[in-house]
Amino acid sequence: MTKRTAAKYKIDRRMGENIWGRAKSPLNRREYGPGQHGQRRKGKLSDFGTQLRAKQKLKGYYGDLTEKQFRRIYAEAERVRGDTGENLIGLLERRLDAVVYRAKFVPTIFAARQFVNHGHVEVNGKRVNIASYRVKEGDVISVRERSRQLAIVLESVGLAERDVPDYLEVDHNKMTATFVRTPALGDVPYAVQMEPNLVVEFYAKN
């Protein structure tokens, strides 16, 4: 099992929140952090700790991105005109793996990355196997025809624990999703509160 695949079982407990809202989250069984001293880690966080936690939570949510990947996305959000925190969320939601996850073609963001990497996804009719590929408004994302009967796809479409957000138009009969618009923070159906403003503060000071 790779480090990243294993990460989804630990991130919820490390953050102390069920960040994807999954029924199988270990936090539903025990609400303390992992490891020998997990039950004792409830101290008050400093401002730095709060900002770091916000960054780790957002990084973890999108498949436990590396610091290098996340820092690069943040730097781009900073360059674009407008609110940096909102820009950051918009860029993260435009990742192809995030769109595949939001469209409910797969059950988790980790599965979405693997699904894209294995060549099961097309953008505007052309196969794309780069999870970080950035979609544009109007792009049509589809599951390749030969992949539409995979068990993981059929099971995910029927999951009731999350809905498709309104910035995507999804047809599960045709297994297609159109990226209608770049969402703002308030449009994104996070299961817990995300605080990109704290991420901005973190990078501003560090």
Side-chain angles (χ1 to χ4, degrees):
M1 184 179 287
T2 66
K3 172 182 175 293
R4 261 215 184 116
T5 304
K8 67 176 177 289
Y9 301 112
K10 298 178 182 178
I11 292 171
D12 278 356
R13 284 172 59 205
R14 194 170 72 227
M15 295 295 107
E17 296 180 84
N18 183 358
I19 66 174
W20 294 282
R22 294 174 322 192
K24 291 183 179 179
S25 171
L27 210 68
N28 295 338
R29 296 191 296 276
R30 45 186 172 178
E31 295 187 356
Y32 49 85
Q36 183 180 355
H37 306 292
Q39 296 184 62
R40 285 189 269 162
R41 293 183 192 152
K42 286 273 186 175
K44 189 176 186 302
L45 288 175
S46 63
D47 287 348
F48 172 82
T50 303
Q51 293 158 3
L52 178 62
R53 176 67 60 89
K55 179 181 73 103
Q56 289 174 326
K57 187 161 63 169
L58 202 56
K59 271 174 59 178
Y61 185 91
Y62 287 94
D64 209 18
L65 299 174
T66 66
E67 177 61 24
K68 186 177 180 181
Q69 287 174 312
F70 193 77
R71 187 70 179 83
R72 191 165 56 235
I73 296 168
Y74 174 81
E76 188 169 348
E78 206 174 24
R79 287 195 301 270
V80 179
R81 184 179 297 176
D83 182 273
T84 301
E86 291 280 355
N87 292 340
L88 176 62
I89 297 301
L91 290 172
L92 288 166
E93 284 294 309
R94 285 174 57 195
R95 286 176 57 95
L96 182 56
D97 56 356
V99 175
V100 168
Y101 170 64
R102 291 285 180 226
K104 291 181 67 174
F105 294 151
V106 291
T108 70
I109 189 68
F110 297 89
R113 175 176 292 152
Q114 191 172 49
F115 197 69
V116 173
N117 289 344
H118 288 182
H120 297 298
V121 176
E122 295 178 344
V123 179
N124 299 328
K126 294 182 180 179
R127 187 166 66 157
V128 177
N129 61 2
I130 301 168
S132 61
Y133 176 91
R134 191 166 295 156
V135 303
K136 301 186 294 292
E137 293 180 3
D139 279 355
V140 177
I141 297 87
S142 56
V143 177
R144 295 186 77 198
E145 195 161 350
R146 67 177 67 176
S147 307
R148 293 177 187 177
Q149 296 305 310
L150 290 173
I152 191 172
V153 177
L154 298 176
E155 289 170 12
S156 182
V157 166
L159 284 176
E161 64 184 26
R162 59 193 175 91
D163 298 320
V164 175
D166 63 7
Y167 49 90
L168 294 178
E169 288 180 356
V170 177
D171 185 334
H172 283 139
N173 292 319
K174 296 180 179 177
M175 288 294 175
T176 63
T178 302
F179 189 76
V180 178
R181 60 184 172 82
T182 301
L185 173 61
D187 300 323
V188 182
Y190 293 119
V192 297
Q193 184 181 11
M194 292 295 178
E195 299 166 298
N197 58 307
L198 294 181
V199 179
V200 174
E201 290 176 15
F202 175 87
Y203 281 121
K205 294 177 181 176
N206 299 282

